[in-house]
Amino acid sequence: MGSFYFKKDRATWRGRPDGRQPDELRPVEIRLHYLRYAEGSVLVEAGNNRIICAASVEDRVPPFLRNSGQGWITAEYSMRPRATTTRSLRESIRGQVGGRTHEIQRLVGRALRSVVDLERLGERTIMIDCDVIQADGGTRTWSITGAFIALVEALWNCVDRGILSSGGIVKDYLGAISVGVVGGQELLDLAFEEDSAAQVDMNVVMTGSGDLVEVQGTAEGDPFSRETLNRLLDLAQKGVGEIIVLEKKLLKRGLP
């Protein structure tokens, strides 16, 4: 099994800690219908990540959409107190949502809305709750993938109950993955040990057609080249393509 060593705050590549190839996803298992009461729910297990995503359908919309005939999709994201190696304080105790949490919530909502015809929802809101119960890097990207599957399940639930008509509600599949450069090596689906040592860290959200929804990329040290960016996007496209193959196997009814 590979390892990293650290010198002058920079990681040097000596293989991945879990033995994966540079372009290999972590082992992934997604369990459908994980929660009894939610219209759609999944448990995502990606490496050592454990994320519960639940979709709830509400017959109301935010004030800015009232009487518009259009629906809305939004998300909440939370890291449970013992999701990491040390206990974190619940944000409800702090009295406010942290900046990182707020950023991820908005990212998940934007990503889902990009592939949904909101007018087909009518004046309804679909709320997605993403709760990380164990974290090991890439929680925002795996939350997007889990949220998309939970959303599709919730929409099929609405179709089955006669609330919505199927066909064209969801325009395309959606997936997200992290990529980065660690010790000079371009890697797919970074675990925490890799993410914390990355010289470049990037999150990519893409559709099943290969179109980009969002790219969040940062140089943690020296700037990186356009050529590196292009290679990282190609690597992300490979990973998202594999995720969408998995989604299609799980979502046997296709898209509503």
Side-chain angles (χ1 to χ4, degrees):
M1 186 173 291
S3 62
F4 294 101
Y5 75 89
F6 298 90
K7 184 177 181 182
K8 296 182 180 180
D9 297 322
R10 294 178 68 88
T12 299
W13 171 253
R14 283 191 173 179
R16 306 189 78 166
D18 55 10
R20 285 183 290 147
Q21 294 300 310
D23 63 348
E24 188 176 356
L25 292 174
R26 284 173 280 188
V28 183
E29 182 177 353
I30 299 177
R31 304 186 199 178
L32 298 175
H33 316 302
Y34 188 70
L35 300 177
R36 179 174 184 178
Y37 301 112
E39 284 86 350
S41 65
V42 299
L43 171 66
V44 177
E45 301 182 59
N48 289 318
N49 284 315
R50 302 290 184 272
I51 307 167
I52 299 171
C53 300
S56 303
V57 181
E58 302 175 349
D59 289 324
R60 60 185 180 86
V61 290
F64 71 91
L65 285 176
R66 286 177 188 161
N67 302 316
S68 69
Q70 179 176 311
W72 191 243
I73 301 171
T74 189
E76 291 188 6
Y77 170 95
S78 179
M79 186 87 72
R80 298 294 88 189
R82 277 319 304 265
T84 57
T85 54
T86 58
R87 186 183 187 276
S88 59
L89 193 63
R90 294 180 188 271
E91 290 180 324
S92 60
I93 300 299
R94 295 195 195 107
Q96 62 179 4
V97 175
R100 177 181 181 274
T101 298
H102 190 64
E103 174 203 349
I104 294 173
Q105 291 179 167
R106 295 185 65 186
L107 170 63
V108 176
R110 284 196 305 270
L112 296 175
R113 292 193 297 271
S114 74
V115 293
V116 174
D117 184 344
L118 297 175
E119 291 185 359
R120 295 292 304 278
L121 295 181
E123 291 197 19
R124 296 180 183 85
T125 294
I126 300 181
M127 169 64 75
I128 311 290
D129 290 290
C130 300
D131 288 282
V132 180
I133 58 176
Q134 184 170 285
D136 186 33
T139 59
R140 73 182 65 194
T141 52
W142 284 111
S143 290
I144 289 170
T145 294
F148 174 76
I149 297 170
L151 170 67
V152 171
E153 288 289 282
L155 290 171
W156 276 120
N157 181 290
C158 290
V159 170
D160 291 342
R161 290 187 290 151
I163 297 171
L164 296 175
S165 299
S166 64
I169 303 174
V170 180
K171 297 176 285 188
D172 202 349
Y173 287 86
L174 182 78
I177 200 64
S178 63
V179 289
V181 179
V182 183
Q185 177 68 53
E186 292 151 8
L187 302 179
L188 177 69
D189 191 18
L190 275 60
F192 175 76
E193 185 176 354
E194 297 166 328
D195 183 59
S196 62
Q199 287 91 55
V200 180
D201 182 20
M202 185 177 295
N203 300 300
V204 181
V205 187
M206 301 181 74
T207 68
S209 302
D211 293 330
L212 291 166
V213 174
E214 187 139 355
V215 178
Q216 299 178 335
T218 303
E220 302 291 348
D222 296 332
F224 59 98
S225 68
R226 174 70 69 86
E227 290 74 19
T228 298
L229 172 62
N230 291 340
R231 288 194 301 270
L232 288 174
L233 289 175
D234 289 342
L235 192 58
Q237 187 168 18
K238 176 184 182 295
V240 171
E242 293 174 7
I243 288 169
I244 287 171
V245 168
L246 175 60
E247 290 176 349
K248 290 179 178 179
K249 290 180 180 178
L250 288 168
L251 299 168
K252 299 183 185 302
R253 300 174 69 180
L255 300 179

